[in-house]
Amino acid sequence: MTKIRNLSPNDTELERTIISSIVYKCPNLNNYINDLKPEYFYKKSYQDIIKTLKAKLKAGDDPSTFDIPEAMRKELIVKDLIDTTFITSQFKSDINKLKTIYSKRELIRLTMAVEEMISKNSRPPGEIKNWLSEELEKVELSGRDITKIQDIDLNFEDQYLDIENPKNVMTGFKKLDNLTGGFRPGSYNLIAGDRSTGKSTFILNMVNYMCNKLKKKVLFISMEMGYSEILGKLISINSGIDSFRLLNPLIKLKENDFKLINEARAKIYEYNLFLDGHAPRTDTFFIEDLYNRLGGVDIIFIDYLRLLAPTEKGYSAYEVITNISRDLQTLSKRLNIPLVVISTLNRKRHDREDKRPNLSDLRDSGNIEYDIDLCLFLYREALDNYDSLKENHYPGKVNPAERELELIIAKNRYGTDREIFKYDFDLQTGIFKEL
């Protein structure tokens, strides 16, 4: 018991972050003060702040007018924190962590109290047991909300049975949509393939269809491509002009090319499309903040998974990817919109005779194969047989075999999988067509 006596779990940095958020950034302060108790905090000065804020609220005063002492104010100014926007989900997550630490302190306190009762023989065992049971009931444990089936049924008709206004977001590829039903609300979807397969261009075809035909509001987070490159690819898809010619200033365009380009630009200008990807750190808290600042979106695309940061630290590459994947799965459910994420494959498939990717090729990517709802692999056989294509390759020309692409439905939580669709991938314009 000596070790337990020396334990008093606390995280003063977490406490400082929470108090700093409350003092400097928190909107609707009343909503959060009610849920906080002074004893959640280990540091007495932080307990005093919460006590004062709760007292002001109880007296009908505005808690945000509380002026903390100058010495404390300097302690709470954390530049990295002050310069960021308040993110509700991150704040709630921090509060849950704080409650968990407080619960551990309470359990240690009860353990020490029971030890003292037994050592001093101050109470009979039955009485100690009853006392401990009552005290354990008072210990707060942060957990998940439980949902009743009746609450789910209220949203079922709106989400799945409204034919006039379907909530699933279609991709624009009819065969794929007929089999999968499009991207479902709250789903976590993965599109994976080797480098140079065309993953980013493939999802830009989807983005173009969703913005142009479906008039959807789309958030595209790209940590791979620059904004001008994204626009250039969208112009190529809409105009049919070779993206290399479009983005190469040394190539002179014809008068008709400019006409097609400007028509494409005018169309894209009307898209409800938002781009991000230049932040120094992008995690799901940041993505949710973008979602809230935009007033919500219909779907989010992320290019690509390994460039995201986890909200919880991992001690190995496997743990990091597992944490990122779990963050994405949780975010899709919380926002109730589809997330579509790009990922790469490990290289072990190159050792097989049949080099088509399968779910085992994701096994170096944490628990991602278990978290995702839909997994689509893009496979171009030409990339595995490049040497044999060299003989028929000429500068500026594309061998027809290089345009052949297979889309493999490796996992579909809501229907049929292990289906393969053939596509023609125009490497010059970036246009994908189902065959």
Side-chain angles (χ1 to χ4, degrees), residues 298-314:
D298 295 305
I299 188 170
I300 298 176
F301 289 87
I302 300 171
D303 184 10
Y304 77 109
L305 182 136
R306 286 182 181 269
L307 294 181
L308 289 173
T311 57
E312 291 189 14
K313 185 178 179 180

Side-chain angles (χ1 to χ4, degrees), residues 86-123:
F86 181 84
I87 304 175
T88 302
S89 59
Q90 185 164 6
F91 185 73
K92 288 181 177 178
S93 175
D94 288 343
I95 294 296
N96 282 333
K97 290 177 184 177
L98 184 70
K99 288 181 179 179
T100 299
I101 296 172
Y102 165 68
S103 298
K104 291 178 181 178
R105 287 202 301 270
E106 283 294 280
L107 291 172
I108 290 172
R109 179 184 66 80
L110 294 177
T111 301
M112 292 171 61
V114 169
E115 179 199 9
E116 186 173 354
M117 290 178 197
I118 293 173
S119 64
K120 292 183 177 180
N121 199 25
S122 59
R123 293 189 183 187

